[in-house]
Amino acid sequence: MEQGEQKEKVNNMVLFDQATYDKLVFEFPNYKLVIPSILFDRLRINRLLAKRAIKDLIEKNSIKMIGVFIAVHPN
């Protein structure tokens, strides 16, 4: 960071408001890939809420799970 620049402050939501939930329900089922980081960046929600939103979309059959990725960190 150069002198004088400020890092963008992120104010992530912990609960959905109606406008954000509507955007989630109508916009994200059209995406080819829905992962928590995309929801986190586009909707400005926290990661735990993003994971729960994906589970909710799967339960409503709005999106389909095609795989599970589990990161393995070697020690």
Side-chain angles (χ1 to χ4, degrees):
M1 254 186 182
E2 293 182 18
Q3 188 177 13
E5 286 185 29
Q6 289 184 352
K7 189 175 181 180
E8 178 186 343
K9 291 185 179 180
V10 179
N11 191 8
N12 293 331
M13 291 187 294
V14 186
L15 296 172
F16 280 115
D17 60 358
Q18 190 61 45
T20 306
Y21 186 75
D22 291 342
K23 185 175 181 180
L24 170 78
V25 171
F26 293 115
E27 184 177 325
F28 285 94
N30 298 328
Y31 283 31
K32 291 186 179 193
L33 178 66
V34 179
I35 57 177
S37 62
I38 292 174
L39 296 177
F40 172 76
D41 290 336
R42 305 252 170 98
L43 295 178
R44 295 293 182 207
I45 59 177
N46 68 17
R47 294 195 189 274
L48 185 61
L49 189 58
K51 288 180 181 181
R52 183 63 191 125
I54 290 174
K55 285 182 184 178
D56 188 46
L57 289 174
I58 291 170
E59 289 172 0
K60 290 182 178 182
N61 292 324
S62 296
I63 61 174
K64 184 171 100 175
M65 184 186 315
I66 58 170
V68 177
F69 175 75
I70 300 173
V72 178
H73 300 286
N75 291 332

